[in-house]
């Protein structure tokens, strides 16, 4: 079964999870990084293991966005767009809140 991930920040990627495989893909949203996914598992992951992997991915991904928000908030402020800068800075602060929630959920999952 192939499913499609489409996020509002301008990238998408497909994953086919019917068989074991490795693939690389890049996210195009203002900064460079490449995610490598290895879907070959000797046994099926438990639900908790899947959540743990998702939390780790979400935390890393969200941290990257947070950093980008703060960078662009500074650039907007330098350009004299103080209100816009404040909005972007608030988005960065909210991203920090999201990361805290995800880290708390991961901690609770690990018990």
């Amino acid at each position: 079964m192939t499913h499609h991930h489409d996020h509002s920040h301008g990238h998408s990627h497909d994953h086919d999870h019917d068989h074991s495989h490795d693939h690389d893909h890049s996210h195009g949203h203002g900064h460079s990084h490449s995610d490598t996914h290895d879907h070959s598992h000797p046994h099926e992951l438990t639900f908790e293991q899947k959540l743990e992997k998702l939390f780790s991915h979400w935390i890393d991904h969200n941290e990257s966005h947070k950093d980008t928000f703060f960078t662009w908030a500074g650039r907007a402020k330098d350009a004299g767009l103080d209100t816009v800068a404040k909005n972007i800075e608030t988005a960065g602060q909210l991203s920090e809140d999201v990361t805290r929630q995800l880290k708390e959920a991961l901690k609770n999952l690990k018990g």
Side-chain angles (χ1 to χ4, degrees):
M1 166 191 249
T2 300
H3 60 272
H4 180 75
H5 301 281
D6 190 10
H7 308 282
S8 62
H9 54 270
H11 75 272
S12 63
H13 48 272
D14 294 326
H15 300 280
D16 184 349
H17 295 280
D18 284 341
H19 61 280
S20 298
H21 64 280
D22 297 335
H23 67 273
D24 294 328
H25 65 271
S26 297
H27 299 274
H29 42 73
H31 57 278
S32 299
H33 69 266
S34 178
D35 293 334
T36 302
H37 297 277
D38 179 358
H39 296 286
S40 55
H41 305 285
H43 57 81
E44 184 66 26
L45 296 176
T46 67
F47 182 72
E48 289 80 5
Q49 290 170 323
K50 289 177 186 178
L51 277 177
E52 186 174 344
K53 287 185 175 289
L54 281 171
F55 286 140
S56 295
H57 174 74
W58 291 337
I59 289 165
D60 290 344
H61 195 90
N62 196 59
E63 283 291 308
S64 177
H65 284 287
K66 177 205 62 146
D67 293 342
T68 302
F69 289 144
F70 287 130
T71 297
W72 282 95
R75 291 176 183 170
K77 188 171 184 171
D78 291 344
L81 301 171
D82 291 343
T83 302
V84 172
K86 182 65 178 153
N87 294 138
I88 300 170
E89 187 176 308
T90 299
Q93 292 165 348
L94 291 170
S95 290
E96 289 176 335
D97 292 341
V98 169
T99 297
R100 274 193 290 278
Q101 289 298 317
L102 293 170
K103 286 180 177 180
E104 186 68 20
L106 180 59
K107 185 177 105 177
N108 289 332
L109 180 66
K110 290 182 174 184

